[in-house]
Amino acid sequence: MKKWICVICGFIYDEAEGLPEHGIAPGTRFEDLDADWVCPECGSPKDAFEEYED
Amino acid sequence: MCLYPHGFIGCGMAGISEQKRCEIDGTVFNPFSPDFVREPHATWLKLVSEYPIAWHRELNMWVVSSHELCGDLLKSHDFSPNYRLWEHALPEKLEAEKLDFDRMTDHSLFMVTQKEHLRLRKLTMPAFSKPVMSQIDATIRDLIVERFDEIGSPEAFDVYTEIASKLPVRSIARMIGVSAEHEAMFQKFANCVVLAARINLTPEQRETAMREGQEGIDYFREQIALRRALAHPGEDFLGALIAAEEDNDSLSDWDIIALISSLITAGSDTAIDLHTYLINGLLSHPDQYSLLKQQPELMENAIVELLRHGSMGKFPFFRFAVDDTEFGGQQIRKGQSVLVNLSAAWHDPAKWENPQTLDITRDLNGNLVFGAGPHFCIGTYLVRAQARIMLEEFMRRFPDAELSGQDGDLEYDYAHHNARRITRLRVKTNLEPVRKVA
Ligand code: HEM
Ligand SMILES: [Fe+2]
């Protein structure tokens, strides 16, 4: 499982956790999010995200 | 007003593209009228419901007001905040005539191309990440606690002079890591940067402000050089900017100095209103003030809701059309300016149920309080830290505070160029009189 970061606002999408409060189940891979999914913090599209290693 | 043959007033219907351009004038929206500054809600409601997008004949710009269109506009690449794209922009100075201040401005987030902007946002992001930003909590807290200690325990005081005008620039200084001995110099630099960014200045006034900013520019060049000479530039904000690297690219001195100037432009004036509107919002809704005291975990949500509800902007944000384009059913010409009327959008009933109700438990999903898309506010950490710590101190020290008189003897600066700037807000502290210990 990977993490992805929004390069605009720094929001981190953690595949292991998903976003249950937005209807995205834990374990949902980033590539499986809808193409029109946007960053829940700043509204940027998927292509504003990069893989993130902490 | 846009009068349609079938009798509708306004421009809110579909199929507008075959119609004439939707236009408004100062009778619908006059951001400089004192009545509007005091009581903007009816105007905002009219704009969002009847004129979600319209050409303003007197202001010579498009005004986009509905929540939906504002969101689309902020995320669109057909519009840019780059002032140089404006049809009436002053010609760029020749290289030989440029001051350092111009060079700095050329690199700022508001002046660069879209590609360059994304490069800057990517390279600056690590400096705004939680591990770096959380280092500022303690210094911002010191600043705010010290301010409240100085305020002491008066019967009443003015939030604008005692809090709002004193914290914002110093908070930015602490975030950047300006040492206490250089705080006065930084304050002067900030004044120059804010002044030079105003739209309503004469060329001479702007030139003077830019020249007076030189000392600040020299200071930061020196600080950056000192850091670059170290084996490791450091773990703080400035260090993170210097260390940032992506695809063999890193930030230049001008990139870093310009970022600092962008933080000042976007973060000092806005944060003045942050403090006054937070306190005004809470004290004029005592039920919400006591709810927050009972449930401090609502703080994060309360801050954003108070900003939404207060809507301190009168003439908030701008875009310029990159090319001829159709937007919201209207034909926009290359170089025209567009007002992103977020203050109205924050009160759009199509997005917010009972928009005029302050509800600190409101579901704020999809809000545009800090914008959206590529120009999303870079300062949200500082906004939240500053707001939270200020309110915590205020509530702890003045739990029974009320507005003085009916409305805190509220006064506005009607001449302010883009904000519904509150310049007086008096609060009664209702503290128990301190008994002298014999
Ligand atoms: C009440 C406080 C604040 C509010 C409501 C706010 C809101 C916003 C909004 C709506 C935008 C988007 C502008 C646009 O799209 O044209 C923005 C951008 C920005 N904000 Fe804030 N802001 C606040 C405070 C701050 C502070 C304290 C800082 C800095 C420390 C800051 C730095 C910035 C910067 C640099 C941008 C431009 C980002 C870019 O163009 O990439 N803001 N802010
Ligand atoms: Fe984001």
Side-chain angles (χ1 to χ4, degrees):
Chain A
M1 295 268 103
K2 293 179 191 155
K3 288 183 183 173
W4 297 76
I5 188 161
C6 171
V7 300
I8 299 297
C9 73
F11 175 83
I12 292 169
Y13 177 72
D14 183 342
E15 295 182 341
E17 289 180 10
L19 287 169
E21 67 276 28
H22 291 93
I24 295 168
T28 305
R29 284 189 308 181
F30 186 74
E31 62 196 63
D32 294 332
L33 295 171
D34 286 349
D36 60 359
W37 180 84
V38 294
C39 171
E41 177 74 11
C42 77
S44 289
K46 271 179 92 171
D47 64 15
F49 279 76
E50 289 179 351
E51 246 188 273
Y52 176 73
E53 280 138 44
D54 47 358
Chain B
M1 248 193 295
C2 297
L3 270 174
Y4 286 88
H6 38 291
F8 282 107
I9 298 173
C11 305
M13 302 89 71
I16 256 160
S17 43
E18 307 97 66
Q19 310 268 358
K20 268 181 53 189
R21 174 160 89 167
C22 176
E23 296 191 355
I24 54 174
D25 59 23
T27 60
V28 174
F29 176 47
N30 176 5
F32 300 104
S33 110
D35 287 342
F36 168 76
V37 170
R38 275 190 302 267
E39 222 350 291
H41 295 97
T43 302
W44 287 336
L45 185 61
K46 195 174 184 75
L47 287 173
V48 298
S49 47
E50 294 174 29
Y51 304 99
I53 172 169
W55 175 257
H56 198 297
R57 277 193 289 266
E58 290 142 1
L59 297 171
N60 279 311
M61 61 178 68
W62 291 96
V63 177
V64 171
S65 300
S66 70
H67 201 272
E68 190 181 353
L69 286 182
C70 282
D72 291 349
L73 186 62
L74 292 174
K75 292 177 205 165
S76 163
H77 289 284
D78 297 333
F79 299 90
S80 158
N82 180 355
Y83 156 90
R84 298 236 198 278
L85 298 172
W86 187 29
E87 56 188 349
H88 304 298
L90 296 171
E92 201 174 335
K93 281 191 196 169
L94 298 171
E95 206 52 45
E97 288 171 10
K98 281 188 181 170
L99 304 173
D100 276 352
F101 201 99
D102 295 298
R103 289 189 189 96
M104 170 179 84
T105 312
D106 284 349
H107 287 249
S108 86
L109 290 169
F110 316 111
M111 281 299 200
V112 293
T113 61
Q114 299 193 5
K115 188 164 161 254
E116 179 62 12
H117 178 265
L118 185 61
R119 167 187 171 264
L120 290 174
R121 289 292 301 233
K122 279 189 178 180
L123 283 168
T124 52
M125 205 252 300
F128 293 95
S129 67
K130 214 160 181 190
V132 177
M133 279 290 123
S134 55
Q135 298 170 27
I136 69 176
D137 288 359
T139 60
I140 302 279
R141 182 175 294 284
D142 287 348
L143 174 75
I144 294 176
V145 167
E146 208 175 285
R147 183 82 284 269
F148 275 93
D149 285 347
E150 283 162 14
I151 292 171
S153 320
E155 268 175 47
F157 71 97
D158 177 15
V159 173
Y160 172 74
T161 46
E162 299 297 327
I163 298 178
S165 68
K166 298 250 162 55
L167 295 179
V169 171
R170 287 185 213 166
S171 298
I172 295 175
R174 303 238 165 164
M175 171 167 118
I176 308 172
V178 176
S179 60
E181 62 189 296
H182 291 110
E183 215 166 64
M185 179 278 304
F186 185 75
Q187 178 72 55
K188 185 178 153 208
F189 179 59
N191 292 346
C192 296
V193 170
V194 170
L195 195 60
R198 284 223 182 139
I199 40 179
N200 54 356
L201 275 198
T202 65
E204 295 74 36
Q205 286 171 319
R206 195 183 317 279
E207 215 42 38
T208 308
M210 299 203 305
R211 284 183 197 282
E212 288 180 354
Q214 188 64 40
E215 192 188 348
I217 295 178
D218 292 340
Y219 166 78
F220 284 113
R221 281 172 106 168
E222 195 184 309
Q223 293 297 311
I224 295 167
L226 288 173
R227 294 293 189 101
R228 289 203 196 276
L230 299 175
H232 190 283
E235 306 285 337
D236 63 350
F237 182 73
L238 196 55
L241 289 175
I242 289 170
E245 213 195 274
E246 172 142 335
D247 306 329
N248 289 320
D249 185 17
S250 58
L251 294 166
S252 71
D253 289 8
W254 284 123
D255 290 337
I256 294 175
I257 299 171
L259 174 75
I260 292 169
S261 81
S262 304
L263 296 178
I264 294 170
T265 320
S268 48
D269 241 27
T270 42
I272 293 179
D273 303 315
L274 171 72
H275 296 290
T276 49
Y277 277 80
L278 288 183
I279 292 180
N280 190 33
L282 282 175
L283 298 191
S284 52
H285 297 80
D287 60 318
Q288 299 290 300
Y289 188 43
S290 41
L291 182 61
L292 185 58
K293 280 183 286 187
Q294 284 154 24
Q295 296 187 45
E297 70 279 8
L298 289 172
M299 183 61 90
E300 281 278 299
N301 210 63
I303 292 167
V304 181
E305 169 68 355
L306 282 157
L307 287 170
R308 182 202 69 77
H309 178 265
S311 270
M312 73 265 212
K314 75 175 168 196
F315 212 38
F317 299 97
F318 283 90
R319 288 293 185 271
F320 305 99
V322 177
D323 266 310
D324 288 353
T325 182
E326 188 186 319
F327 181 82
Q330 300 287 312
Q331 292 299 327
I332 313 228
R333 243 191 18 243
K334 178 178 177 174
Q336 286 184 327
S337 64
V338 185
L339 173 70
V340 194
N341 197 2
L342 285 180
S343 316
W346 298 349
H347 284 255
D348 185 345
K351 167 71 184 170
W352 307 111
E353 204 173 305
N354 302 323
Q356 291 202 53
T357 306
L358 177 73
D359 173 7
I360 62 173
T361 67
R362 191 188 280 274
D363 174 1
L364 291 164
N365 212 347
N367 76 76
L368 296 175
V369 168
F370 296 113
H375 295 275
F376 184 78
C377 181
I378 214 170
T380 56
Y381 190 95
L382 183 62
V383 173
R384 292 192 167 108
Q386 211 179 145
R388 172 174 44 82
I389 299 169
M390 185 280 289
L391 281 180
E392 283 167 2
E393 282 303 308
F394 185 90
M395 295 194 305
R396 192 167 67 78
R397 295 176 189 235
F398 312 122
D400 303 318
E402 289 174 310
L403 294 178
S404 296
Q406 283 283 314
D407 61 356
D409 303 326
L410 199 65
E411 262 180 18
Y412 292 98
D413 170 9
Y414 296 115
H416 194 274
H417 65 290
N418 68 8
R420 295 170 50 238
R421 168 66 40 84
I422 291 175
T423 50
R424 186 170 70 190
L425 179 69
R426 292 192 59 80
V427 298
K428 277 190 306 192
T429 58
N430 293 325
L431 294 173
E432 295 276 318
V434 190
R435 297 237 166 73
K436 284 229 170 77
V437 186

